[in-house]
C-alpha cells in the first residue's frame, strides 16, 4: 500500500509482497543500527535528516502522497547508512535520527512490529553454529544456519559475535 497513491489502482503480486517485506527489513535494520550507534545517548538530528522529515510531511500534505513520503524515508535510510558506514554519524546524531524515524513511524507504524526475542533453543542453536565455525566445521555450521532459517531466524556474524534477526 505504501507504493501507490490512494487514487491509483493497486495491482497485487507476490513480487510486490516480497518487495514490501524487503522494505520492512531495511527499515528494521536501519533502526537497529541507529540504536546501536546511539548507545542510549540523546541528541538532535543533523540538518540533512531534518530536511527528509520536512519532505516527508510535505509529501503527506500534498494529497496524501505516500509514494513520495516513502521516498523521503528511504532517502533518509540510504544517507544514514552511508554516514554510519563512513563513521560520520555520532551517538547524538543517531539518537536524533531515531526521533525523526519515530515521527515518520507514527504515520506508517512499521518499526518494531516484528521484534521478537530469541528463545533458549534458538540461542543454543546459534551458539552451536558459532562453535562449529570456530572449529572450522563448516558443514555443521551450515546445517545449524539452515535449521535456524527453517525456524524463522537469520544469523549474522559481526566482529562482536553473532546476532540473530527474525526473518
Amino acid at each position: 500500500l505504501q507504493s501507490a497513491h490512494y487514487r491509483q489502482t493497486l495491482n497485487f503480486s507476490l513480487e510486490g509482497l516480497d518487495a514490501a517485506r524487503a522494505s520492512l527489513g531495511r527499515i528494521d535494520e536501519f533502526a537497529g543500527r541507529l540504536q546501536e550507534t546511539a548507545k542510549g545517548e540523546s541528541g538532535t538530528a543533523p540538518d540533512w535528516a531534518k530536511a527528509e522529515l520536512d519532505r516527508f510531511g510535505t509529501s503527506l500534505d500534498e494529497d496524501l502522497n505516500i509514494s513520495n513520503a516513502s521516498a523521503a524515508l528511504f532517502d533518509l535510510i540510504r544517507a544514514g547508512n552511508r554516514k554510519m558506514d563512513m563513521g560520520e554519524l555520532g551517538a547524538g546524531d543517531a539518537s536524533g535520527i531515531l526521533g525523526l524515524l519515530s515521527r515518520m513511524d507514527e504515520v506508517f507504524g512499521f518499526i518494531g512490529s516484528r521484534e521478537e526475542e530469541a528463545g533458549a533453543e534458538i540461542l543454543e542453536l546459534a551458539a552451536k553454529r558459532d562453535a562449529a565455525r570456530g572449529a572450522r566445521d563448516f558443514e555443521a555450521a551450515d546445517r545449524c544456519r539452515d535449521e535456524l532459517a527453517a525456524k524463522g531466524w537469520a544469523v549474522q556474524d559481526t566482529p562482536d559475535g553473532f546476532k540473530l534477526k527474525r526473518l
Side-chain angles (χ1 to χ4, degrees):
L1 293 174
Q2 82 180 42
S3 64
H5 191 273
Y6 71 91
R7 292 185 190 187
Q8 293 176 333
T9 302
L10 177 65
N11 293 319
F12 176 81
S13 69
L14 293 177
E15 293 82 16
L17 190 60
D18 288 340
R21 185 176 292 120
S23 293
L24 287 172
R26 283 187 64 204
I27 294 168
D28 287 345
E29 184 177 329
F30 181 62
R33 286 188 75 190
L34 285 173
Q35 289 170 347
E36 288 176 16
T37 302
K39 300 175 185 158
E41 289 191 28
S42 61
T44 59
D47 290 339
W48 60 266
K50 290 177 185 175
E52 294 302 342
L53 178 65
D54 291 343
R55 191 172 130 215
F56 180 86
T58 300
S59 296
L60 292 176
D61 288 343
E62 293 172 357
D63 196 25
L64 198 60
N65 193 334
I66 294 293
S67 300
N68 283 350
S70 292
L73 169 63
F74 285 103
D75 285 348
L76 173 72
I77 290 171
R78 188 176 309 104
N81 278 328
R82 189 174 331 120
K83 291 192 180 291
M84 281 189 275
D85 290 344
M86 295 172 58
E88 297 177 357
L89 196 71
D93 289 342
S95 177
I97 294 171
L98 269 171
L100 296 182
L101 200 57
S102 177
R103 290 185 61 196
M104 290 176 169
D105 193 53
E106 290 175 5
V107 174
F108 289 140
F110 292 156
I111 300 172
S113 61
R114 300 179 305 137
E115 288 297 314
E116 182 180 330
E117 291 293 321
E121 176 189 5
I122 300 300
L123 290 173
E124 184 178 318
L125 191 55
K128 183 178 174 184
R129 178 196 167 272
D130 198 44
R133 284 187 74 237
R136 304 190 62 74
D137 184 357
F138 298 114
E139 286 182 38
D142 288 346
R143 281 192 303 273
C144 291
R145 184 199 61 227
D146 293 343
E147 191 174 340
L148 283 165
K151 294 177 185 279
W153 292 89
V155 64
Q156 180 181 22
D157 297 309
T158 70
D160 299 328
F162 66 86
K163 289 185 180 182
L164 290 167
K165 189 165 80 170
R166 192 75 166 139
L167 294 174

